[in-house]
Amino acid sequence: MGLFDRFKKKAPEPAPKSEWPKPPREDTMALLLMDRVLKNVGPAIEQLRKTFGERSVSGIDRSHPKVPAFTVTVDGLEFWCSYLPMPVPKEERDIAVMAQHNLFLSPERQEAFCNHKSFWVLAQKGGGKTLEGKRRACWDFSLVCAALLELEGAVGVSVTNTALLVSKENYLSRRAQMEEVGRDDPDYFPVPLWVWFYRGLQEDKPTIQTQGLAEFGLPELGFFDPELPVEDTLNYLFTMSSWQVTGKQLYRNMALIPLTEEIEVVSKQEGDTIFFIGG
């Protein structure tokens, strides 16, 4: 059994065209990478209590001399945290390969991810039974990650079931935006903390696609052979992804979708992805 197998579930079968939205994955998990080996987890516990209250950390388990663990409670949800004083095993997650394919990592940040020395495993069990529940779990999960990223030596976050890596600087910037907007905004969700945006190929044509929306029980999205500048295409994908996660819009097969007054795209489903053609 692999290191993280107990947190994984068998991937669901591809959904029929009419089945979305479907139940999201109930459990949520991420890794938080450090550029050093910590002497102890005391500063992390102190930081979490400072952020979420004195009673937020419980169940501190130091029975394993090198792998301490504890539970953080935020907004009524429990998050299990464990620290491992070693790099992420390559057979579990090849951080170096992932870093090469993340569009928003500078060369310096890529190098920092590749050279990490230890990591945290963060998991929330069972909070994502519905889309609303998954949003809530991921929102609070983001706050836990952001609190730990305040630690000296934190590098960034690797999100499970995606190739997404988010640097400390980017993550804390998004956390500030979350605080400014607030969780009650019906149109906002911190998509870049949970969804990977990448360049791909489909039928030998370039694409820009998402990976991570399936965690929410939603179709992945992509632009097929886009003609728009990459920055514009990414902005549309950010917005479309956020609208799906917040429940404002669900994209379906063979729909005509206006991007601007002059530009419309047609959606076409390929497997579990909705591609937009014509933009």
Side-chain angles (χ1 to χ4, degrees):
M1 177 179 289
L3 183 62
F4 310 128
D5 285 352
R6 59 177 166 160
F7 300 107
K8 297 178 181 177
K9 292 186 177 181
K10 183 179 178 182
E13 295 297 322
K17 288 185 172 64
S18 60
E19 192 175 321
W20 286 312
K22 57 186 177 181
R25 293 195 173 107
E26 296 182 10
D27 302 338
T28 308
M29 181 179 165
L31 308 183
L32 192 149
L33 281 56
M34 307 291 296
D35 70 3
R36 63 198 66 188
V37 174
L38 303 179
K39 294 181 180 179
N40 62 76
V41 297
I45 293 174
E46 181 180 349
Q47 176 64 30
L48 290 165
R49 285 175 170 165
K50 177 183 176 182
T51 304
F52 302 112
E54 284 296 321
R55 298 183 179 181
S56 60
V57 179
S58 62
I60 301 172
D61 182 0
R62 293 188 172 94
S63 59
H64 192 292
K66 292 187 177 181
V67 187
F70 51 82
T71 300
V72 185
T73 302
V74 179
D75 192 30
L77 292 178
E78 291 187 344
F79 298 84
W80 183 81
C81 306
S82 182
Y83 175 71
L84 286 81
M86 55 184 275
V88 178
K90 184 178 293 187
E91 63 271 19
E92 297 288 350
R93 201 172 300 187
D94 196 329
I95 299 296
V97 170
M98 292 165 62
Q100 296 175 12
H101 298 286
N102 271 258
L103 299 174
F104 305 108
L105 287 181
S106 67
E108 293 77 16
R109 299 277 70 79
Q110 288 184 17
E111 184 177 1
F113 272 103
C114 293
N115 294 331
H116 75 279
K117 300 296 190 297
S118 65
F119 67 103
W120 294 85
V121 179
L122 310 176
Q124 202 292 315
K125 302 283 287 183
K129 294 181 174 65
T130 64
L131 180 56
E132 181 182 6
K134 187 71 172 182
R135 285 198 305 268
R136 175 194 175 201
C138 288
W139 185 284
D140 290 332
F141 203 120
S142 299
L143 298 180
V144 174
C145 286
L148 288 174
L149 285 170
E150 298 279 7
L151 295 173
E152 186 176 355
V155 172
V157 173
S158 171
V159 179
T160 303
N161 297 325
T162 77
L164 176 63
L165 301 176
V166 186
S167 70
K168 172 179 180 175
E169 294 77 7
N170 193 3
Y171 213 105
L172 294 182
S173 175
R174 296 290 177 183
R175 192 269 306 272
Q177 185 178 15
M178 291 168 64
E179 292 175 345
E180 180 180 351
V181 176
R183 70 168 73 224
D184 294 330
D185 189 317
D187 297 332
Y188 175 77
F189 182 81
V191 164
L193 302 184
W194 294 98
V195 179
W196 182 44
F197 298 84
Y198 67 99
R199 292 186 176 95
L201 286 175
Q202 182 78 12
E203 299 175 2
D204 296 324
K205 296 291 186 179
T207 63
I208 298 180
Q209 300 178 225
T210 69
Q211 184 187 62
L213 291 172
E215 295 294 302
F216 296 84
L218 300 167
E220 302 292 352
L221 303 178
F223 275 78
F224 178 83
D225 197 14
E227 300 176 2
L228 295 167
V230 172
E231 294 80 3
D232 291 347
T233 302
L234 286 170
N235 284 334
Y236 284 124
L237 277 181
F238 285 150
T239 301
M240 291 169 151
S241 298
S242 183
W243 284 357
Q244 284 211 134
V245 173
T246 59
K248 181 176 182 178
Q249 176 73 54
L250 180 63
Y251 297 98
R252 299 187 183 277
N253 190 47
M254 300 307 294
L256 189 63
I257 300 163
L259 300 182
T260 68
E261 291 184 358
E262 294 81 22
I263 302 175
E264 290 183 324
V265 294
V266 176
S267 60
K268 181 181 179 183
Q269 181 179 343
E270 292 291 338
D272 280 345
T273 301
I274 298 288
F275 283 102
F276 303 112
I277 304 170

